PDB file of all heavy atoms in Angstrom:
ATOM      1  N   ILE B  67      21.606 -35.199   9.050  1.00  0.00           N
ATOM      2  CA  ILE B  67      22.045 -34.168  10.006  1.00  0.00           C
ATOM      3  C   ILE B  67      21.660 -34.593  11.418  1.00  0.00           C
ATOM      4  O   ILE B  67      22.452 -34.493  12.363  1.00  0.00           O
ATOM      5  CB  ILE B  67      21.426 -32.797   9.646  1.00  0.00           C
ATOM      6  CG1 ILE B  67      21.953 -32.320   8.295  1.00  0.00           C
ATOM      7  CG2 ILE B  67      21.738 -31.769  10.710  1.00  0.00           C
ATOM      8  CD1 ILE B  67      21.375 -31.017   7.830  1.00  0.00           C
ATOM      9  N   ASN B  81      42.619 -33.962   6.109  1.00  0.00           N
ATOM     10  CA  ASN B  81      43.547 -33.260   6.997  1.00  0.00           C
ATOM     11  C   ASN B  81      42.877 -32.132   7.773  1.00  0.00           C
ATOM     12  O   ASN B  81      43.521 -31.170   8.156  1.00  0.00           O
ATOM     13  CB  ASN B  81      44.718 -32.641   6.218  1.00  0.00           C
ATOM     14  CG  ASN B  81      45.505 -33.690   5.483  1.00  0.00           C
ATOM     15  OD1 ASN B  81      45.661 -34.807   5.995  1.00  0.00           O
ATOM     16  ND2 ASN B  81      45.972 -33.362   4.298  1.00  0.00           N
ATOM     17  N   LEU B  91      26.769 -28.616  12.501  1.00  0.00           N
ATOM     18  CA  LEU B  91      25.477 -29.296  12.379  1.00  0.00           C
ATOM     19  C   LEU B  91      24.317 -28.345  12.648  1.00  0.00           C
ATOM     20  O   LEU B  91      23.320 -28.363  11.923  1.00  0.00           O
ATOM     21  CB  LEU B  91      25.418 -30.482  13.353  1.00  0.00           C
ATOM     22  CG  LEU B  91      26.244 -31.690  12.910  1.00  0.00           C
ATOM     23  CD1 LEU B  91      26.208 -32.756  13.982  1.00  0.00           C
ATOM     24  CD2 LEU B  91      25.736 -32.241  11.599  1.00  0.00           C
ATOM     25  N   ILE B 143      40.216 -23.216  -0.093  1.00  0.00           N
ATOM     26  CA  ILE B 143      39.633 -23.620  -1.375  1.00  0.00           C
ATOM     27  C   ILE B 143      38.174 -24.011  -1.189  1.00  0.00           C
ATOM     28  O   ILE B 143      37.306 -23.595  -1.952  1.00  0.00           O
ATOM     29  CB  ILE B 143      40.427 -24.780  -2.006  1.00  0.00           C
ATOM     30  CG1 ILE B 143      41.870 -24.356  -2.250  1.00  0.00           C
ATOM     31  CG2 ILE B 143      39.790 -25.209  -3.311  1.00  0.00           C
ATOM     32  CD1 ILE B 143      42.724 -25.415  -2.891  1.00  0.00           C
ATOM     33  N   THR B 242      25.491  -1.433  -0.114  1.00  0.00           N
ATOM     34  CA  THR B 242      24.749  -0.627  -1.098  1.00  0.00           C
ATOM     35  C   THR B 242      23.899  -1.461  -2.057  1.00  0.00           C
ATOM     36  O   THR B 242      22.902  -0.975  -2.557  1.00  0.00           O
ATOM     37  CB  THR B 242      25.717   0.239  -1.912  1.00  0.00           C
ATOM     38  OG1 THR B 242      26.822  -0.587  -2.272  1.00  0.00           O
ATOM     39  CG2 THR B 242      26.219   1.404  -1.120  1.00  0.00           C
ATOM     40  N   LEU B 380      -4.581  -3.177   8.502  1.00  0.00           N
ATOM     41  CA  LEU B 380      -4.475  -4.605   8.187  1.00  0.00           C
ATOM     42  C   LEU B 380      -5.268  -5.443   9.175  1.00  0.00           C
ATOM     43  O   LEU B 380      -5.869  -6.456   8.812  1.00  0.00           O
ATOM     44  CB  LEU B 380      -3.001  -5.025   8.194  1.00  0.00           C
ATOM     45  CG  LEU B 380      -2.688  -6.429   7.676  1.00  0.00           C
ATOM     46  CD1 LEU B 380      -2.977  -6.515   6.194  1.00  0.00           C
ATOM     47  CD2 LEU B 380      -1.230  -6.780   7.932  1.00  0.00           C
ATOM     48  N   ARG B 412      22.057 -12.326  24.493  1.00  0.00           N
ATOM     49  CA  ARG B 412      23.302 -13.083  24.361  1.00  0.00           C
ATOM     50  C   ARG B 412      24.433 -12.194  23.828  1.00  0.00           C
ATOM     51  O   ARG B 412      25.582 -12.291  24.261  1.00  0.00           O
ATOM     52  CB  ARG B 412      23.096 -14.282  23.419  1.00  0.00           C
ATOM     53  CG  ARG B 412      22.395 -15.439  24.067  1.00  0.00           C
ATOM     54  CD  ARG B 412      23.360 -16.213  24.959  1.00  0.00           C
ATOM     55  NE  ARG B 412      22.684 -16.919  26.026  1.00  0.00           N
ATOM     56  CZ  ARG B 412      22.120 -18.116  25.913  1.00  0.00           C
ATOM     57  NH1 ARG B 412      22.164 -18.734  24.769  1.00  0.00           N
ATOM     58  NH2 ARG B 412      21.532 -18.678  26.928  1.00  0.00           N
ATOM     59  N   ALA B 439      15.641   1.417  16.604  1.00  0.00           N
ATOM     60  CA  ALA B 439      14.964   0.443  15.753  1.00  0.00           C
ATOM     61  C   ALA B 439      13.519   0.267  16.175  1.00  0.00           C
ATOM     62  O   ALA B 439      12.637   0.102  15.338  1.00  0.00           O
ATOM     63  CB  ALA B 439      15.700  -0.892  15.804  1.00  0.00           C
TER      64      ALA B 439
END
Side-chain angles (χ1 to χ4, degrees):
Chain B
I67 295 178
N81 300 324
L91 285 176
I143 300 181
T242 44
L380 189 67
R412 282 283 154 84

